């Protein structure tokens, strides 16, 4: 009898082992996760499928780095697309970190699962830069409340997911979500 695993099967096993490894065998878990949709992209870019951020996008990325400068960021995670990486890079630079880019998963759900597993394997504070459809999915996957997809024209909404319990006795159990607006 011969046993074979497809490429997708290997990816799935890798994601599962990342998640299980971070959940069961590691005591690492972030206290706080910041999530942001990428900064505005260039609308007239030559590569319309993977455009860079615009001048306003660069301002927003710098504003994010300033907003998070006093945080103890332990990881910066972004998708493989240029606009998310460029949004994340100033914050990563300010904290002397490399932007972590997950594999290019075969489905949106697999991508969200992998990003969530990467984030949950960290201590401290994590920044995730995603997209209008992945940020709400990630918030839900990480235990936050359900959100609708973000508007295609909405930029600058910084979501703050606190995973550690609030020490006050009247606090609700589970992650808490706050939202603030970054202006540029």
């Amino acid at each position: 009898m011969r046993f074979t695993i497809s490429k997708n099967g290997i990816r799935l096993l890798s994601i599962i082992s990342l998640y299980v490894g971070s959940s069961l065998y590691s005591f690492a878990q972030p206290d706080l996760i910041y999530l942001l949709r990428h900064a505005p992209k260039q609308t007239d870019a030559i590569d319309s499928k993977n455009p860079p951020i615009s001048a306003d996008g660069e301002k927003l990325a710098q504003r994010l780095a300033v907003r998070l400068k006093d945080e103890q960021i332990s990881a910066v995670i972004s998708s493989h697309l240029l606009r998310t990486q460029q949004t994340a890079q100033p914050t990563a630079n300010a904290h002397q970190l490399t932007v972590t880019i997950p594999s290019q998963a075969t489905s949106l759900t697999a991508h969200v699962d992998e990003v969530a597993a990467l984030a949950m394997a960290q201590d401290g504070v994590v920044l995730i830069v995603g997209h209008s459809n992945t940020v709400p999915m990630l918030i839900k996957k990480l235990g936050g409340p359900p959100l609708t997809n973000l508007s295609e024209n909405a930029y600058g909404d910084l979501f703050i997911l606190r995973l550690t319990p609030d020490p006050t006795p009247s606090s609700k159990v589970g992650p808490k979500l706050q939202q603030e607006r970054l202006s540029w």
Side-chain angles (χ1 to χ4, degrees):
M1 176 193 256
R2 192 166 184 215
F3 181 75
T4 60
I5 290 184
S6 70
K7 232 183 195 181
N8 287 341
I10 291 172
R11 282 189 184 141
L12 180 60
L13 286 173
S14 296
I15 291 169
I16 290 170
S17 67
L18 253 175
Y19 187 74
V20 169
S22 67
S23 307
L24 298 176
Y25 302 110
S26 171
F27 294 104
Q29 176 182 322
D31 300 317
L32 199 61
I33 299 176
Y34 287 93
L35 299 104
L36 178 82
R37 178 185 180 214
H38 62 79
K41 56 190 174 188
Q42 286 183 10
T43 55
D44 59 350
I46 294 170
D47 183 357
S48 63
K49 292 186 184 213
N50 192 16
I53 58 176
S54 66
D56 281 342
E58 290 174 16
K59 290 176 190 172
L60 178 60
Q62 290 300 325
R63 178 72 181 113
L64 176 65
V66 168
R67 166 60 180 85
L68 299 179
K69 73 178 169 51
D70 295 329
E71 293 289 343
Q72 297 298 314
I73 304 288
S74 57
V76 177
I77 304 169
S78 124
S79 78
H80 69 281
L81 294 174
L82 185 59
R83 57 192 174 270
T84 56
Q85 293 173 41
Q86 289 178 329
T87 303
Q89 196 62 58
T91 301
N93 290 347
H95 293 276
Q96 300 177 345
L97 296 169
T98 301
V99 176
T100 301
I101 301 167
S103 67
Q104 293 184 32
T106 57
S107 73
L108 187 58
T109 302
H111 170 75
V112 167
D113 289 346
E114 185 175 359
V115 171
L118 287 168
M120 292 304 288
Q122 303 299 317
D123 280 323
V125 180
V126 175
L127 168 64
I128 300 172
V129 179
H131 300 273
S132 60
N133 57 348
T134 61
V135 168
M137 291 175 73
L138 281 161
I139 289 170
K140 185 175 179 190
K141 178 77 179 176
L142 294 166
L147 298 176
T148 58
N149 283 353
L150 304 175
S151 164
E152 190 59 32
N153 298 319
Y155 299 100
D157 289 322
L158 182 63
F159 297 94
I160 307 161
L161 190 62
R162 184 170 304 282
L163 299 178
T164 55
D166 187 340
T168 60
S170 63
S171 67
K172 179 182 118 183
V173 175
K176 294 189 178 196
L177 183 68
Q178 295 172 262
Q179 182 177 350
E180 66 183 62
R181 183 90 174 135
L182 295 176
S183 57
W184 65 90

